[in-house]
Amino acid sequence: MNLEKHYLSILESLHDAVFVVSKDSTIVYVNQAYSRHFGIPSNKIIGRRLTEMEPKARILEVLLSGKELVNDYSYVHSLRKDVCANLTPLMEDGELIGAVGIMKDISEVMALQEELKQYRSYSSKLERQLYQQEFSLLDSKNFKMLSVVNLARKVAATEASVIIYGETGVGKELMAKAIHEASSRMDKPFVPINMASIPESLFESELFGHEEGSFTGSRKGGKKGIFELANGGTLFLDEIGEMPLNLQAKILRVIQERTFQRVGGTKSYPLEVRIITATHRDLSEQIKQGNFREDLYYRLNVVSLHIPPLRERKEDLPFLISTLLSNLNSKYKKYGVVTPEVVDILTQHQWPGNVRELVNALERMVAVSDQTYFVTEDIPEYIRLKENSSEKAIPIQLVNSGNQDQNLDGLMEKTERNLIADALRKSKNRTEAIYKLGISRKTFYEKLRKHGLL
Ligand SMILES: Nc1ncnc2c1ncn2[C@@H]1O[C@H](COP(=O)(O)OP(=O)(O)OP(=O)(O)O)[C@@H](O)[C@H]1O
C-alpha cells in the first residue's frame, strides 16, 4: 500500500483541526475539521496571511524560532476560541519552509473550568458560613436571648474579655465557641477547660504545663499546659467561680504580664490568648464573700453575657427540637420526626438541665425508637409522667430546718444530697437519675463523690 497517496485523505479524516502555513505565514491548507470546528470554509481562509489576521498567533513564533510548541494553550481572537495546539515546524532539506498546527477547541473546557472556579468560591463561602453556624444554632425568637446573641456577635469582632453567665447546659460553651469562630482567631485553637474538673494539686501543671523532671512522674520532654495550647487562639475557662484563690492570683499575674512559665521552669513563654470565661455563679456575690478576687473579676469582665435558661425561652423549643433532631437523625442514620403532641409535652417541661437535658431526651428517643414518628410514649418517662400527671419526679425533701446552727450553705448541701439520694433510689439506674436531676453526667459524678454517694 502506497500510503503517500493517501496522506491528504488521512488529514481530511482527522477530527482535530489541522492547518498549514508557509514561511511567510500564508495559510496554505486547512482540513475539513478546521472548517467544521471554527465555521470557516477553506476557500475563505486559504491564501490569507496570519500576520494580518492574527498577529499574535503562536504559530508565528514557531516560524521564527523553528522550535515546536506542544500542548500550547492560547486564545485565538479571530476565531474567538480557546485552543490547545501542537505547532510543528515544516522542514525541507534542513530548511524551514512553514509550520503545521493541529488544534483542539477547548472553549467548552475553559467555560467549565470557569464554572468550576465559581462553584469553588461559592462552596468555600458556604463552608465559611457553615463554620460560623454556631451563632445560627443560638438563633432565638426570645427577645432576651436575641439581644445576648447580638451582643455576642458584636463582641466577637473585638478582643474584649467576656464572661458568660448561665445555668448548666444553657449553651455557654457553644456561645464561647461561636465567639471564637466569628473572631479573627477562628483559624487558631479554641481550648475549653472546666475548672471544676481539675484536681487542685494538678491545677498549675494543667494550666501552665511543666518542664521535664519538674516532679516525680512528670512527662519526658515536659508537657504543654492549656495556656500554651491555646496560644494565638481562645481559651475558654468554664466554671471560673470554682477556682481556688491562690490559682486566681496566678492567673491574674499571667494575664497582666502576658507571659507564663511552665511548672519547674524558669523560661518565660509569651502569651497571646483571648480569654472567655463562664460561670453559673453570681461572681459579684462571690467577691462579697471573699471567694473571688475583685481585680481578676474586672480583668475578665469587660463584657458579660447572660444566657437565659431554656424555661424562660420556650418559644425556641420547636426550632431547637427540629435542629437537634436533624443532627441526631444524621448521627443515628434515622429519619425521626416528632408529632405536635410530643412538642406540646416537651414544651410543658421545665428543663432544669436546659438544652443539654433536651439533647439527652431527644437522643434517647432517636436511639431507642424504631418508628419514624415519635409519639408521646417515646418521650422519656420522667418527662412524660411528670408533665402528663401531677406526679413530680423528685419531691423535695426538706432537711431538718429546725436546727438553729444550720446556715444556708449547709442546708443547701444537705438538700442537694437528699435530692440526689432520692433520685438514685427512685431510678432504675444512674442514667435515669441523671435525667431526673437534669444535670450533666460529669456534674452528677462530682456530686456523688462530694456527698460520698459513689
Ligand atoms: N442553642 C443550641 N442549639 C443546639 N445545641 C445546643 C444549644 N445550646 C446548647 N446546646 C447543646 O447543649 C449541650 C450543653 O451546651 P454547653 O456545653 O454549651 O452548655 P454549658 O452552659 O457550657 O454547660 P455547663 O455549664 O454544664 O458546662 C451541648 O451538647 C450543646 O451542643
Side-chain angles (χ1 to χ4, degrees), residues 133-150:
Q133 76 164 5
E134 316 292 325
F135 268 130
S136 62
L137 270 184
L138 289 162
D139 220 358
S140 175
K141 285 191 160 60
N142 176 273
F143 177 74
K144 239 168 140 183
M145 180 70 178
L146 211 54
S147 46
V148 176
V149 174
N150 284 339

Side-chain angles (χ1 to χ4, degrees), residues 85-358:
N86 288 328
L87 307 166
T88 320
L90 254 186
M91 310 297 284
E92 194 177 282
D93 300 330
E95 209 178 297
L96 184 105
I97 57 159
V100 185
I102 304 175
M103 297 201 295
K104 260 191 207 315
D105 176 3
I106 54 160
S107 305
E108 226 169 279
V109 178
M110 297 303 274
L112 285 174
Q113 227 168 40
E114 184 54 35
E115 214 171 310
L116 187 66
K117 211 167 105 192
Q118 280 171 11
Y119 276 119
R120 280 209 179 117
S121 103
Y122 181 57
S123 89
S124 70
K125 197 171 133 201
L126 286 181
E127 224 170 278
R128 277 200 303 279
Q129 278 174 3
L130 206 67
Y131 199 48
Q132 290 176 7
Q133 76 164 5
E134 316 292 325
F135 268 130
S136 62
L137 270 184
L138 289 162
D139 220 358
S140 175
K141 285 191 160 60
N142 176 273
F143 177 74
K144 239 168 140 183
M145 180 70 178
L146 211 54
S147 46
V148 176
V149 174
N150 284 339
L151 182 56
R153 273 185 214 273
K154 278 189 202 143
V155 92
T158 72
E159 283 294 308
S161 304
V162 178
I163 294 193
I164 306 173
Y165 293 95
E167 291 178 8
T168 180
V170 279
K172 297 187 291 294
E173 182 168 338
L174 199 75
M175 183 165 281
K177 195 151 185 255
I179 293 174
H180 167 77
E181 285 176 356
S183 77
S184 57
R185 297 169 179 268
M186 63 187 283
D187 296 329
K188 299 283 164 43
F190 171 79
V191 181
I193 180 121
N194 188 314
M195 307 307 282
S197 70
I198 315 173
E200 206 171 328
S201 57
L202 292 182
F203 254 137
E204 263 194 86
S205 118
E206 284 292 316
L207 259 57
F208 308 119
H210 58 76
E211 301 288 8
E212 184 176 343
S214 52
F215 55 85
T216 327
S218 65
R219 193 188 286 188
K220 201 161 179 287
K223 185 191 162 214
K224 285 184 182 178
I226 47 149
F227 272 90
E228 209 170 330
L229 291 172
N231 228 345
T234 307
L235 181 58
F236 175 57
L237 304 176
D238 199 0
E239 302 288 12
I240 187 94
E242 316 307 303
M243 249 193 332
L245 280 165
N246 63 340
L247 194 76
Q248 291 178 26
K250 283 182 181 140
I251 288 201
L252 179 65
R253 201 172 56 240
V254 166
I255 295 175
Q256 278 168 341
E257 293 173 6
R258 301 208 149 265
T259 59
F260 66 93
Q261 290 175 345
R262 287 179 175 183
V263 174
T266 48
K267 186 176 163 197
S268 282
Y269 294 86
L271 180 74
E272 204 288 292
V273 76
R274 179 183 198 175
I275 297 181
I276 301 182
T277 50
T279 180
H280 66 279
R281 289 188 193 274
D282 178 352
L283 281 190
S284 37
E285 194 53 42
Q286 293 289 102
I287 293 170
K288 273 191 214 145
Q289 289 176 8
N291 295 329
F292 204 85
R293 290 184 67 118
E294 197 168 5
D295 42 9
L296 178 61
Y297 174 73
Y298 287 116
R299 275 275 170 181
L300 301 174
N301 187 28
V302 176
V303 177
S304 54
L305 303 170
H306 295 257
I307 306 185
L310 190 52
R311 65 182 168 280
E312 287 176 18
R313 47 182 167 113
K314 284 195 174 172
E315 56 270 57
D316 287 342
L317 270 165
F319 165 73
L320 272 174
I321 292 170
S322 103
T323 330
L324 295 171
L325 254 188
S326 84
N327 292 346
L328 291 164
N329 278 335
S330 337
K331 180 172 166 189
Y332 286 90
K333 301 194 171 41
K334 291 194 175 175
Y335 303 95
V337 283
V338 287
T339 57
E341 293 76 43
V342 170
V343 178
D344 227 38
I345 292 184
L346 295 181
T347 310
Q348 288 167 45
H349 187 57
Q350 290 307 302
W351 301 107
N354 292 292
V355 189
R356 180 181 291 111
E357 187 189 356
L358 177 64

